[in-house]
Amino acid sequence: MLGRASVRGLVRLHQAACLRQMCQASKRHLSNTSKAALWVDAVRRNSHLGAQLDPLKLDYLHAPKEIQPSFWGLEPNEEFPASELQVGSEVEQANSVKGVFDKLSDLYLGTMAVQFMHMDGSEHRDWWLERIEGNTKEWADVSQEEAHNAARLMIESEGLDLFMTKKFPVFKRYSGEGCEAMLPCVQAMLEAHSDFGGESCVIAMPHRGRFNLLTSVIGMPPRKLFHKVGGGREIPLDGWVGGDVTSHLARDADVDVGNGRSVHVSLLHNPSHLEAVDPVMLGKARLKQEVSSQGAVLPLMIHGDAALGGQGVVYESAAMCNLPNFSVGGTVHLVVNNQIGFTSDRFKSRSCPHSSDLGKMLPSTPIIHVNGDDARQVIRASKLALEWRNQFESDVFINLVCYRKHGHNELDEPAFTNPVMYKAVRSRKSPPVQFSNELVNEGVMTAEEVSALGEQYKAFLGDELKAAATHEPEQESFKGKWAGMKHGAQVDMTVAIDSGLPIEKLKEFGLASVDVPEGFPLHNRIEKTHVKARTEMMEKGVADWGCAEAIAFASLLSQGNGIRVSGQDSERGTFSTRHSVLHGSDGSTHIPLQNLDHGGRFMPVSSLLSELAVLAFEFGYSWEDPNNLCIWEAQFGDFFNSAQVTIDTFVASTESKWLRQSGLMMLLPHGMDGMGPEHSSARPERFLQLIDSDPTNMSLPICKAINFNFLCSVQP
């Protein structure tokens, strides 16, 4: 069912469409002011289809006729005071149709266009109108220092790719050539984030351009990269860690953003499955925000255009944006739009004009389209995106339209399948060369400075390559919050853990789990079968399954550990055994285990109906702090197979690939009660295959006592 805001939005769009149809049918009966108002509205709504966004100039998007004044019966030389229209100060000074059109073209039909008229709420649309047509132009200021730094980053990006082409000619590096503007885009985001008081940024990104971002923005010494490419290890623990391919490298570092400030950046490891890391990043960012604040932590997703339009996990992740236990106060989505996915061009990769059209599914989410050849506009897009996110705590998309110089990797021949595109690619200068020439022509830089930047970086890379031969990888795991933790191979899993508690404590925790405030309007069946029944069990010194679980949770909480239980039915429990959240008939709620003396934080979460993204979110949440027991519970145990990608690429393998640990627990409830072949098994044989020699714990608790002791034994 559509909410009120969605209905209002549809009504508004329908009214605008009706007005346009009426105008076409009876243009002679509308005043010039009415025609002009509809024309301006059409430009604002459709500029993204007519702007100069494609650096290859293949012009696959066609501007609708409505953005031309002639469509509305307006003559170019006709005098018309723009002050009669509801336009910003940038436009209202024009006094003819041509004057208005020229100004609108400058603002909307250049190398940047913003989709914002689809958003609900006049406050949101007015915010963009003020920045595009009005006097709020701080975002438009790009200093010479910013332009110089952007050129440096782009020159370094291209320099790294050219260097690796020469030194590692058959290595698949998934270069950033053609999308070098991604680097100043991210750098500008970090600087703007710091300007708004931000402290850290968590990034999820795929392989394309990863080395370039790692070395030039996030500060990874190239020797580490070269050492890995040359067959070395990124982790010093031989025999414990199998390692992973180079394009999955990650890094945590403080990034200099000027004026003595820095932003701590965490670029997460990613698997080969595109976009699978997105909800992992959201989970990690969420817990970081709970410790500090939403504004302090910037979640950044870098997408490829084809994966954004094709991978379902993107939609599942986006659906979390406004949910109370999953929201991260707005994610910035940077779409590195190569206009191709593997060999499928844009016409075969999606059913909509832009890969970023996913953003229109989300409430009040603007989409900024920008040409990757215009580095200044890219910087402006970043500033606008961060200002929007800071003010409205809402998602925002940047569609960075660029290209891919090579095939899917450097050994592919893309002209086999995309000859027209690659004729255009091979007949043009690279974005760093074009932007550097532009700055030289403007007098911002000299040709000698540009040449020196390239030569100095080339020499630096040469020195780093020499240093790679003797580079010894450092131990980067088990630091900070994870200090004191051990690799699974160092732990004797046969040693028994004393999880017992005195009978008095068991009863105390059992009663605490059903402690209801006086007068709370509890459902009469819950009061009888849950609260009173458990109270009686404690008097008799017995417990059922749900009671044993609640006592185990209370035991962990009383020691200061946090617990988050998440799933589609996790507040109540699949078989109505938990009832961790009590619902009053008046809509109020009460969570008894949140009121333990000196207890850790207890968070029972009923999630959206997703397995893949929610499990990944909880995995990311568990990555941030080992002192939380993070539990994902399937609605029925066999539903885990909808999250198989997360299980294979994260849950079962991150310690062996990246030496990154997680304390995530998966609860897979099921029964043998005639529910059919799916719901009768949680497929334990699949997990036995996955864990092999890995120290992952798997338990099949056949009674409440085993379940209690298992839960108590996994305390951080």
Side-chain angles (χ1 to χ4, degrees):
M1 180 178 294
L2 292 172
R4 293 180 185 175
S6 298
V7 171
R8 285 198 300 268
L10 289 175
V11 169
R12 188 171 60 250
L13 292 174
H14 177 69
Q15 289 172 340
C18 289
L19 282 171
R20 286 193 288 270
Q21 292 173 6
M22 289 168 55
C23 185
Q24 292 180 58
S26 56
K27 293 176 183 176
R28 290 173 299 178
H29 302 292
L30 288 176
S31 68
N32 278 359
T33 301
S34 298
K35 294 177 183 178
L38 289 169
W39 166 46
V40 170
D41 179 78
V43 172
R44 291 167 175 167
R45 291 183 183 280
N46 299 296
S47 62
H48 61 100
L49 298 174
Q52 303 165 40
L53 300 176
D54 184 5
L56 299 179
K57 296 180 172 61
L58 297 178
D59 298 325
Y60 68 95
L61 294 175
H62 301 286
K65 296 177 181 178
E66 289 96 319
I67 70 172
Q68 297 296 329
S70 58
F71 177 85
W72 305 98
L74 299 170
E75 297 297 329
N77 295 323
E78 188 175 348
E79 291 188 4
F80 185 85
S83 57
E84 294 184 10
L85 303 173
Q86 291 184 347
V87 293
S89 57
E90 287 275 310
V91 185
E92 65 182 5
Q93 301 302 318
N95 55 17
S96 69
V97 170
K98 183 179 184 301
V100 174
F101 180 72
D102 289 344
K103 199 61 187 175
L104 289 175
S105 296
D106 290 342
L107 296 174
Y108 287 100
L109 300 175
T111 53
M112 184 170 72
V114 184
Q115 280 182 274
F116 65 94
M117 292 297 288
H118 63 281
M119 295 192 298
D120 295 328
S122 59
E123 177 189 9
H124 297 145
R125 297 190 299 278
D126 290 346
W127 190 92
W128 284 103
L129 288 172
E130 173 61 24
R131 276 148 188 79
I132 297 172
E133 300 178 17
N135 293 320
T136 306
K137 294 292 185 182
E138 292 84 356
W139 60 271
D141 296 330
V142 178
S143 67
Q144 290 191 4
E145 181 182 358
E146 288 175 306
H148 190 287
N149 192 46
R152 177 186 62 79
L153 289 171
M154 294 172 73
I155 289 169
E156 288 182 1
S157 180
E158 184 176 46
L160 177 68
D161 284 318
L162 295 176
F163 184 85
M164 293 189 73
T165 297
K166 183 176 180 180
K167 300 299 182 180
F168 306 99
V170 297
F171 176 70
K172 299 177 182 178
R173 66 183 183 279
Y174 307 102
S175 80
E177 291 167 281
C179 61
E180 289 92 348
M182 175 182 70
L183 272 65
C185 185
V186 173
Q187 180 68 30
M189 286 185 199
L190 297 177
E191 292 174 5
H193 181 50
S194 179
D195 289 340
F196 291 119
E199 300 169 356
S200 64
C201 175
V202 189
I203 303 177
M205 76 172 295
H207 45 279
R208 179 132 346 258
R210 193 177 186 92
F211 300 159
N212 312 74
L213 189 68
L214 274 168
T215 53
S216 287
V217 175
I218 308 180
M220 172 181 279
R223 67 184 65 183
K224 290 188 174 183
L225 172 61
F226 299 151
H227 177 77
K228 174 68 175 174
V229 173
R233 301 177 62 88
E234 72 272 28
I235 301 172
L237 297 173
D238 289 283
W240 287 355
V241 181
D244 199 0
V245 296
T246 312
S247 55
H248 298 172
L249 287 173
R251 181 170 174 79
D252 277 67
D254 292 328
V255 174
D256 181 18
V257 292
N259 298 322
R261 301 171 303 164
S262 65
V263 172
H264 186 78
V265 175
S266 300
L267 174 61
L268 302 188
H269 291 281
N270 65 300
S272 296
H273 293 66
L274 295 174
E275 307 290 347
V277 71
D278 294 354
V280 176
M281 180 277 289
L282 293 176
K284 182 177 175 66
R286 169 74 188 205
L287 183 51
K288 289 175 73 73
Q289 291 177 349
E290 289 175 359
V291 173
S292 54
S293 67
Q294 282 193 335
V297 183
L298 173 66
L300 171 60
M301 287 186 192
I302 302 178
H303 307 278
D305 52 308
L308 176 64
Q311 291 296 317
V313 67
V314 180
Y315 294 79
E316 292 185 30
S317 302
M320 299 176 179
C321 68
N322 286 334
L323 300 183
N325 293 296
F326 296 90
S327 171
V328 290
T331 298
V332 177
H333 302 262
L334 172 58
V335 185
V336 180
N337 187 349
N338 295 308
Q339 308 188 66
I340 190 170
F342 204 66
T343 59
S344 294
D345 62 26
R346 51 190 172 261
F347 303 108
K348 299 172 184 174
S349 297
R350 57 182 180 269
S351 299
C352 48
H354 303 291
S355 58
S356 54
D357 281 345
L358 164 69
K360 293 161 68 175
M361 179 189 84
L362 306 178
S364 299
T365 298
I367 304 168
I368 307 170
H369 306 273
V370 62
N371 188 320
D373 269 0
D374 193 337
R376 284 192 175 96
Q377 288 287 59
V378 171
I379 293 172
R380 294 181 182 114
S382 292
K383 292 181 178 181
L384 278 170
L386 267 293
E387 185 182 0
W388 168 267
R389 191 245 173 199
N390 182 69
Q391 181 158 344
F392 293 103
E393 297 183 347
S394 170
D395 284 30
V396 57
F397 280 73
I398 297 177
N399 179 24
L400 178 62
V401 186
C402 44
Y403 63 91
R404 190 186 70 193
K405 181 178 179 180
H406 305 288
H408 177 65
N409 62 65
E410 291 68 33
L411 306 183
D412 280 346
E413 174 47 74
F416 288 166
T417 51
N418 306 90
V420 175
M421 173 180 284
Y422 278 87
K423 182 179 179 181
V425 168
R426 289 165 177 170
S427 64
R428 71 189 315 278
K429 295 179 180 178
S430 70
V433 170
Q434 290 194 58
F435 186 53
S436 298
N437 289 344
E438 179 183 325
L439 295 184
V440 169
N441 293 335
E442 294 174 359
V444 176
M445 299 178 71
T446 65
E448 291 74 20
E449 285 179 301
V450 172
S451 178
L453 281 175
E455 290 301 319
Q456 289 168 7
Y457 195 64
K458 181 179 178 180
F460 167 68
L461 293 176
D463 292 340
E464 288 292 294
L465 180 60
K466 293 176 183 177
T470 57
H471 173 70
E472 292 292 335
E474 300 174 1
Q475 172 61 272
E476 297 181 355
S477 302
F478 308 121
K479 294 182 178 180
K481 297 176 183 176
W482 294 85
M485 296 291 172
K486 296 180 180 180
H487 186 275
Q490 297 174 296
V491 179
D492 185 353
M493 304 299 290
T494 65
V495 175
I497 297 175
D498 183 7
S499 56
L501 290 172
I503 186 66
E504 294 78 12
K505 209 65 178 174
L506 293 173
K507 291 182 177 181
E508 176 188 333
F509 289 154
L511 291 172
S513 70
V514 287
D515 184 22
V516 182
E518 184 177 350
F520 186 80
L522 194 60
H523 192 286
N524 57 4
R525 286 178 59 189
I526 296 296
E527 184 174 7
K528 179 180 178 181
T529 62
H530 179 65
V531 177
K532 289 184 177 179
R534 184 167 297 179
T535 301
E536 291 173 0
M537 281 190 285
M538 292 301 95
E539 292 172 354
K540 296 176 182 178
V542 297
D544 61 11
W545 184 281
C547 183
E549 180 191 74
I551 294 172
F553 285 167
S555 173
L556 294 175
L557 291 166
S558 68
Q559 299 170 56
N561 302 305
I563 299 177
R564 176 181 166 107
V565 188
S566 172
Q568 293 153 27
D569 201 7
S570 291
E571 292 183 3
R572 185 198 68 160
T574 293
F575 302 113
S576 201
T577 58
R578 183 172 295 134
H579 295 294
S580 57
V581 179
L582 302 177
H583 294 263
S585 59
D586 58 357
S588 60
T589 59
H590 176 65
I591 304 175
L593 289 182
Q594 286 185 345
N595 298 300
L596 294 175
D597 291 337
H598 311 296
R601 189 172 57 158
F602 180 56
M603 292 182 62
V605 174
S606 285
S607 74
L608 66 159
L609 206 160
S610 156
E611 286 83 30
L612 175 59
V614 173
L615 175 59
F617 184 99
E618 303 307 332
F619 184 86
Y621 195 95
S622 75
W623 247 5
E624 175 58 20
D625 189 349
N627 294 311
N628 283 289
L629 173 58
C630 193
I631 300 173
W632 176 77
E633 182 178 50
Q635 202 270 336
F636 263 94
D638 55 283
F639 284 142
F640 80 86
N641 55 18
S642 294
Q644 196 67 56
V645 169
T646 297
I647 294 168
D648 291 347
T649 61
F650 287 102
V651 177
S653 59
T654 55
E655 189 167 20
S656 62
K657 291 189 297 187
W658 311 321
L659 198 58
R660 290 297 309 273
Q661 292 185 319
S662 163
L664 179 75
M665 175 184 289
M666 295 171 58
L667 295 183
L668 307 177
H670 66 89
M672 295 289 288
D673 48 0
M675 295 293 288
E678 285 85 19
H679 289 341
S680 62
S681 172
R683 309 292 190 266
E685 67 279 3
R686 297 185 185 179
F687 292 93
L688 289 170
Q689 267 191 322
L690 283 172
I691 61 178
D692 190 23
S693 59
D694 190 283
T696 305
N697 277 328
M698 187 177 78
S699 173
L700 298 174
I702 59 174
C703 70
K704 58 201 174 191
I706 294 176
N707 191 47
F708 167 82
N709 285 282
F710 180 72
L711 288 170
C712 288
S713 68
V714 297
Q715 57 185 303

